[in-house]
Amino acid sequence: MRVSIHKHIANPEQFKQQLLIWSQQFREVVFLDSNSYPQEYSSFDCLLAVDAFTSIKTDYHNAFDDLKQYQSTTKDWLLGYLTYDLKNNVEDLKSSNFDGLNFPDLFFFQPKKLFLLKGNQLEIQYLFLCDDEVEEDFTAISEIEYEPFVSLSGIEVQQRISKEFYIEKVTKMLQHIHAGDMYEANFCMEFFAENAVINPLEKFQKLNEISQAPFSVFFKNNKQYLLSASPERYLKKVGETLISQPIKGTSKRSLDPVEDEKSKEYLENDAKERAENIMITDLVRNDLSHTAQKGSVEVVELCKIYSFLQVHQMISTITSKLDPQYSPVDVLKTTFPMGSMTGAPKISVMKIIENLEETKRGLYSGAVGYFTPSGDFDFNVVIRSILYNQENQYVSFSVGSAITAQSIPEKEYEECLLKAKAMHEVLE
């Protein structure tokens, strides 16, 4: 039974920062921030969940079945993540590349304390706890003095794949495309730092400040951290409606308004970028059809341009109505990993990229999000994100781009560096 209390918040932006600072005392933290980005499908401006009452942590073996049982028996708020390597649960695949982070393949927890902020209205939900504790915590949060981050010394970031090696690998991918093994694939490379000591809170504050992305996440599970400035939604469920919003297509922002508009128009009219986006839209339509009511899959927006602080992105929106015979976790299992981070045809692509990539993706290109007590959910795509294992002092971030028959390896490499810019800035 959750105790629910409502509060009016005079300064929501300041309160979000106070919430995040207060949360650092707990072993488990999920802080989701939409950064007031104008989006049609947002349920909250900010959500904070802390302090596990129960949790599930597992490798990929039977992971979705375990999650389904946990979600259906708990029937409460659950927050956590799905790593890319859950592909091995869904298909006959493996992940044997190097992994410097060593996160569990799946982790969710049922929080004792939950804060939901929308506009000036804050809802606080505590599990089995008395009103006195809610009031004490609210007072403690409100009294925190927030000071903007002060950047500490940086760390030296290395690149796992050199430019020459990257071009060689993308050339091999083009050979697979010309041989008819695949049409499009998302190929990723890692940047990393060893013996790295960072302040995760400070790095997240800086990353969030320079990105202000709609699906930002600060995640902590003991000594494992995700600092995410993701612009992409993987999948959201509201009642029987499912919403997926894959991103394919990127161009850089410019401080010059004329140049910026040109970059946006170039992206909108670029035949290669549109072809990429349409291929993934088709893949998502197919994925959603597995659990959809007949004839309910619909493309609501195709190749629409959205602007973020760092880049312009091409995004499509696909919706469906869920057939009541399927559970919330069934939907995740039949659509995971997301099309924008794999390619088409999905299984063939996942085998090829596993052979050509140098690093196990882990939580990168997985998803972070929540289930509500009624079985609704919302998950992002873990991109534009820094991962940190405090115990072994390993920092990692990866970037990727879509390889199609029209791809020029050097240009794909430049796109990767553009996507890596914010994380480099934060860490170095």
Side-chain angles (χ1 to χ4, degrees), residues 309-327:
L309 287 190
Q310 301 278 336
V311 288
H312 300 294
Q313 302 273 200
M314 188 182 283
I315 303 178
S316 292
T317 301
I318 307 99
T319 64
S320 69
K321 299 287 182 202
L322 181 63
D323 185 321
Q325 70 177 297
Y326 296 107
S327 75

Side-chain angles (χ1 to χ4, degrees), residues 154-160 190-194 196 198 203 386 395-398 420-428:
I155 57 174
E156 190 180 333
V157 175
Q158 300 175 66
Q159 191 168 315
R160 181 73 61 191
E190 185 197 24
F191 295 82
F192 68 99
E194 296 168 316
I198 65 169
K203 295 301 182 191
I386 296 165
V395 169
S396 169
F397 67 88
S398 295
K421 186 175 166 230
M423 283 87 75
H424 269 300
E425 197 177 316
V426 166
L427 291 170
E428 295 183 335

Side-chain angles (χ1 to χ4, degrees), residues 51 77 82 110 114 126 169 222 245 278 305 330 339 345 383:
D51 202 8
W77 286 92
L82 313 162
Q110 177 188 13
L114 184 73
Y126 277 25
K169 283 173 178 285
N222 195 19
Q245 296 185 289
I278 290 164
I305 307 302
D330 291 336
I383 51 175

Side-chain angles (χ1 to χ4, degrees), residues 134-180:
V134 177
E135 291 301 333
E136 284 168 18
D137 284 349
F138 181 73
T139 302
I141 294 162
S142 303
E143 288 175 352
I144 288 172
E145 289 191 21
Y146 166 63
E147 293 178 8
F149 56 83
V150 177
S151 195
L152 305 171
S153 58
I155 57 174
E156 190 180 333
V157 175
Q158 300 175 66
Q159 191 168 315
R160 181 73 61 191
I161 301 174
S162 67
K163 183 178 181 181
E164 292 71 25
F165 204 20
Y166 176 89
I167 287 168
E168 191 182 305
K169 283 173 178 285
V170 171
T171 304
K172 282 182 184 169
M173 299 196 84
L174 288 169
Q175 289 166 2
H176 278 291
I177 291 170
H178 297 315

Side-chain angles (χ1 to χ4, degrees), residues 195-211:
N195 304 314
V197 178
I198 65 169
N199 177 338
L201 174 61
E202 176 248 323
K203 295 301 182 191
F204 173 75
Q205 286 173 322
K206 187 174 180 187
L207 181 65
N208 203 33
E209 179 71 24
I210 64 176
S211 303

